[in-house]
């Protein structure tokens, strides 16, 4: 009898271990395959991790929120604890359930909803956007109802509720970030929903003036239903609600008529509505510098808009300043993270070599290699003085490496023997080889030899110009190659990438 009990116990233990193993394997597979898009799922997944009742202002909407409204700036300027709870092409029905989730989890003092998506004329959007705007929510009533409001009648809601049937076959599109915690986001728990849509700058001659448009055009019945539900929810929960339309270049008179219709509905319920497309000048937006493309602001534009919006909220709503409060440390860290990222954008968009050097040499997070090649100084005394200021007044073709503020390697044409230097830049290796070459002196006609540097990154050449200054730059904070460019002495030191 005793042996039978022991035998049964061993079998039970085997079953438990087997089931546990299967569970661990499935968890791992699900972790890797689940959607982690920063324009949808990841944003709401990280919102669910915020400490309860710490978010005072929640911004809800489409990409016009997460690329235009920067919580780091609102913290730095006003100490506001805010979060961008938004998703790509997010329709109003998803915004409504995001709003419900935000109120239940955070009880914010103010909810700001961008109404760009009142322009949506479909009652269901594409499958990818449905997934982005629903799968990130924690399991519960809001997620289930959001899915039901989003999918066509022919779809099985259980696929979206479970999630795995939707993304189980995306193994072919997996990236290395899928295997990392936080999808490889170095900001981790400090993330507040903002997406850096900053690299591009598209030039436009002017912003479209639609202030003259006073007519209205109705929005779809479904959009109107959820717009009214948001206002009803705000009243029922005693939550302050503000409707906005973030500024964008491509607004048309037809679109403005639909915003006017939504504005009237809002004002009938006593809900403030601000279309910031009527305030380009007040915000200080410049169509030639502040647009990423026709529908979004870039780094420069988002900073201007966020400061303007923040000042409006600061003066019209009683939002506390939490700076110095250790309970809000993650907002301070998010602001510090943003400033480091912003420095990178300023560097890449530096107007000339002097500005580039000023930012480059002042950042101790950088590791970089500077190659001086050919007639790199030319007859330009300004460039000569600039090089001297940074200790780069070297003889002939030369190469210098700096690592976190310290010069770790330097070689010029005075070297007497060949050399090889390596430095690891994350998963890549920068190699510098001094190679003896023969050449004819253009003045004396003599045959001479010199040791010239050959610079490669994973065996790919890094010199961008034959006469000028080339730079390879690695950011130790973001753990990636930030830049590889040249300043061409033959073309007034214009940038070459």
């Amino acid at each position: 009898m005793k042996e039978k009990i022991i035998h049964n116990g061993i079998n039970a233990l085997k079953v438990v271990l087997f089931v546990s193993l299967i569970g661990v394997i499935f968890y791992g597979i699900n972790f890797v395959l689940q959607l982690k898009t920063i324009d949808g799922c990841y944003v709401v997944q990280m919102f669910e991790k915020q400490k309860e009742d710490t978010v005072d202002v929640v911004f809800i909407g489409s990409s016009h929120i997460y690329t235009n409204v920067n919580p780091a700036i609102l913290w730095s300027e006003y100490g506001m604890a805010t979060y961008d709870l938004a998703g790509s092409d997010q329709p109003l029905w998803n915004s409504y359930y995001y709003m419900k989730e935000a109120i239940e989890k955070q009880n914010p003092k103010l909810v700001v909803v961008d109404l760009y998506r009142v322009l949506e004329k479909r009652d269901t959007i594409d499958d990818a956007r449905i997934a982005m705007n629903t799968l990130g929510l924690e399991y519960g009533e809001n997620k289930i109802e959001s899915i039901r409001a989003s999918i066509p009648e022919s779809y099985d809601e259980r696929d979206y509720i479970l999630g795995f049937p939707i993304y189980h076959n995306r193994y072919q599109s997996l990236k290395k970030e899928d295997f990392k915690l936080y999808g490889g986001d170095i900001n981790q728990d400090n993330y507040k929903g903002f997406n850096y849509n900053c690299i591009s700058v598209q030039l436009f001659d002017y912003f479209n003036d639609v202030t003259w448009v006073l007519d209205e055009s109705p929005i779809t019945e479904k959009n109107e239903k959820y717009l009214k539900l948001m206002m009803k929810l705000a009243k029922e929960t005693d939550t302050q609600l503000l409707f906005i339309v973030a500024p964008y270049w491509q607004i048309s008179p037809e679109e403005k008529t639909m915003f006017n219709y939504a504005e009237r509905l809002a004002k009938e319920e006593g809900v403030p509505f601000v279309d910031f497309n009527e305030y380009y000048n007040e915000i200080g937006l410049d169509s030639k510098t502040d647009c990423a493309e026709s529908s979004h602001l870039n780094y420069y534009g988002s900073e201007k808009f966020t400061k303007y919006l923040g000042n409006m909220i600061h003066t019209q709503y009683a939002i506390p300043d939490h700076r110095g409060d250790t309970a809000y440390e993650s907002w301070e860290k998010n602001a510090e993270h943003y400033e480091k990222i912003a420095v990178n954008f300023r560097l890449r968009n530096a107007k000339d070599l002097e500005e580039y050097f000023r930012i480059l040499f002042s950042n101790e997070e950088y590791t970089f290699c500077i190659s001086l090649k050919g007639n790199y100084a030319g007859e330009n005394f300004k460039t000569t003085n600039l090089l001297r200021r940074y200790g780069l007044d070297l003889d002939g073709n030369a190469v210098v490496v700096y690592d976190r503020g310290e010069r770790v390697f330097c070689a010029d044409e005075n070297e007497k023997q060949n050399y090889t230097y390596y430095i690891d830049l994350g998963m890549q290796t920068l190699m510098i080889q001094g190679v003896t070459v023969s050449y004819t002196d253009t003045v004396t006609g003599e045959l001479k030899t010199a040791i010239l540097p050959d610079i490669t990154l994973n065996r790919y050449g890094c010199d961008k110009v034959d006469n000028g200054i080339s730079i390879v730059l690695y950011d130790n904070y973001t753990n990636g190659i930030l830049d590889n460019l040249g300043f061409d002495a033959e073309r007034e030191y214009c940038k070459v990438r």
Side-chain angles (χ1 to χ4, degrees):
M1 182 67 179
K2 184 178 180 180
E3 291 179 356
K4 184 175 182 181
I5 293 174
I6 294 174
H7 178 74
N8 290 340
I10 292 174
N11 287 337
L13 179 61
K14 288 180 179 179
V15 170
V16 170
L17 291 174
F18 177 76
V19 172
S20 298
L21 179 61
I22 295 298
V24 169
I25 292 172
F26 180 78
Y27 175 84
I29 293 172
N30 187 67
F31 170 81
V32 171
L33 292 177
Q34 67 179 337
L35 296 175
K36 309 174 187 71
T37 55
I38 59 172
D39 53 356
C41 294
Y42 184 71
V43 177
V44 67
Q45 288 164 356
M46 294 305 295
F47 178 78
E48 304 284 13
K49 293 184 177 182
Q50 302 300 304
K51 292 180 181 178
E52 189 175 348
D53 293 336
T54 58
V55 182
D56 290 330
V57 184
V58 178
F59 296 94
I60 295 174
S62 68
S63 56
H64 284 218
I65 285 292
Y66 66 63
T67 63
N68 293 345
V69 181
N70 190 339
I73 293 174
L74 294 173
W75 174 264
S76 297
E77 295 282 327
Y78 303 104
M80 292 183 192
T82 67
Y83 195 98
D84 288 349
L85 187 58
S88 177
D89 277 351
Q90 184 177 101
L92 264 59
W93 44 96
N94 293 136
S95 293
Y96 168 69
Y97 289 105
Y98 272 35
M99 181 177 171
K100 282 193 71 178
E101 187 80 359
I103 291 172
E104 291 171 10
K105 296 292 177 63
Q106 292 293 336
N107 190 30
K109 294 173 175 58
L110 174 65
V111 172
V112 181
V113 180
D114 182 82
L115 293 183
Y116 171 69
R117 295 297 292 156
V118 298
L119 305 179
E120 180 58 70
K121 296 181 179 180
R122 300 168 295 175
D123 282 348
T124 57
I125 57 174
D126 61 273
D127 292 352
R129 294 316 194 284
I130 292 174
M132 286 180 188
N133 287 291
T134 59
L135 296 188
L137 287 165
E138 281 187 354
Y139 178 77
E141 180 182 354
N142 292 330
K143 179 170 185 170
I144 294 171
E145 293 303 322
S146 183
I147 290 169
R148 288 173 177 168
S150 303
I151 62 175
E153 291 183 3
S154 59
Y155 285 26
D156 189 340
E157 67 182 48
R158 291 172 296 183
D159 289 344
Y160 287 85
I161 293 171
L162 293 172
F164 190 75
I166 300 300
Y167 52 72
H168 73 280
N169 60 352
R170 62 177 292 265
Y171 55 88
Q172 291 182 328
S173 61
L174 289 176
K175 301 177 181 178
K176 62 181 180 181
E177 288 77 16
D178 285 298
F179 296 86
K180 298 179 180 179
L181 291 174
Y182 305 98
D185 178 18
I186 57 176
N187 203 13
Q188 298 187 3
D189 287 328
N190 307 312
Y191 175 79
K192 304 301 175 189
F194 185 66
N195 187 350
Y196 305 99
N197 192 24
C198 311
I199 297 175
S200 60
V201 178
Q202 187 164 349
L203 306 181
F204 298 104
D205 290 333
Y206 51 82
F207 281 106
N208 295 329
D209 179 14
V210 291
T211 56
W212 57 272
V213 179
L214 303 177
D215 294 338
E216 297 179 4
S217 296
I219 59 180
T220 67
E221 183 179 338
K222 187 173 183 180
N223 274 332
E224 185 166 337
K225 170 188 173 182
Y226 282 96
L227 181 64
K228 290 179 176 178
L229 281 174
M230 282 189 272
M231 293 188 285
K232 181 182 178 183
L233 176 62
K235 288 182 178 179
E236 291 175 346
T237 58
D238 195 25
T239 302
Q240 295 185 96
L241 176 62
L242 169 63
F243 287 137
I244 69 169
V245 180
Y248 64 104
W249 179 84
Q250 70 177 12
I251 185 172
S252 67
E254 178 189 2
E255 292 172 344
K256 179 60 176 171
T257 63
M258 299 174 76
F259 295 144
N260 289 344
Y261 183 88
E263 181 177 8
R264 179 175 57 79
L265 294 180
K267 289 184 175 179
E268 287 175 356
E269 297 297 326
V271 176
F273 181 106
V274 183
D275 182 354
F276 286 101
N277 291 289
E278 298 180 2
Y279 295 89
Y280 299 132
N281 292 333
E282 291 84 350
I283 297 169
L285 290 174
D286 186 339
S287 62
K288 293 181 172 61
T289 61
D290 297 339
C291 299
E293 18 69 17
S294 62
S295 190
H296 302 94
L297 301 176
N298 59 20
Y299 155 69
Y300 304 104
S302 67
E303 283 208 339
K304 292 177 181 178
F305 174 58
T306 299
K307 290 178 180 179
Y308 188 87
L309 175 61
N311 182 62
M312 189 193 79
I313 293 174
H314 176 68
T315 56
Q316 297 181 15
Y317 299 89
I319 307 300
D321 183 345
H322 293 292
R323 285 173 293 187
D325 187 339
T326 56
Y328 291 81
E329 184 181 15
S330 69
W331 273 271
E332 180 64 30
K333 290 183 177 179
N334 178 61
E336 292 171 358
H337 167 79
Y338 172 72
E339 180 55 30
K340 291 179 179 180
I341 300 300
V343 167
N344 290 347
F345 292 131
R346 293 183 202 126
L347 177 84
R348 286 186 58 86
N349 288 292
K351 65 180 182 297
D352 55 30
L353 178 62
E354 183 174 8
E355 182 182 1
Y356 196 97
F357 268 18
R358 177 179 58 78
I359 300 173
L360 181 69
F361 279 92
S362 64
N363 194 325
E364 294 192 358
E365 298 281 0
Y366 292 160
T367 299
F368 57 90
C369 171
I370 298 177
S371 170
L372 307 174
K373 189 174 182 181
N375 188 20
Y376 53 84
E379 304 301 324
N380 191 315
F381 292 109
K382 181 179 178 181
T383 303
T384 301
N385 289 333
L386 179 67
L387 294 173
R388 183 178 296 113
R389 187 192 315 166
Y390 289 101
L392 298 175
D393 47 339
L394 304 169
D395 291 332
N397 291 270
V399 58
V400 182
V401 178
Y402 286 83
D403 184 26
R404 296 177 173 90
E406 179 184 354
R407 181 183 286 196
V408 295
F409 179 78
C410 178
D412 60 18
E413 288 191 16
N414 288 326
E415 302 301 319
K416 301 303 181 183
Q417 58 185 5
N418 293 351
Y419 56 84
T420 300
Y421 176 81
Y422 298 90
I423 186 168
D424 289 330
L425 304 178
M427 300 297 291
Q428 304 182 71
T429 299
L430 182 76
M431 183 172 71
I432 303 170
Q433 290 181 298
V435 181
T436 302
V437 297
S438 300
Y439 67 97
T440 302
D441 190 303
T442 56
V443 177
T444 65
E446 295 181 64
L447 183 65
K448 295 184 176 181
T449 61
I451 297 177
L452 303 181
D454 178 56
I455 306 167
T456 59
L457 183 65
N458 283 7
R459 299 184 181 180
Y460 290 96
C462 298
D463 280 330
K464 294 293 184 178
V465 292
D466 291 327
N467 290 285
I469 302 167
S470 295
I471 300 170
V472 179
L473 171 58
Y474 180 83
D475 183 4
N476 292 288
Y477 178 69
T478 61
N479 299 315
I481 299 295
L482 177 58
D483 211 352
N484 181 196
L485 84 165
F487 290 89
D488 194 341
E490 295 179 343
R491 293 189 290 164
E492 298 183 343
Y493 296 95
C494 72
K495 290 186 285 189
V496 179
R497 283 192 170 96

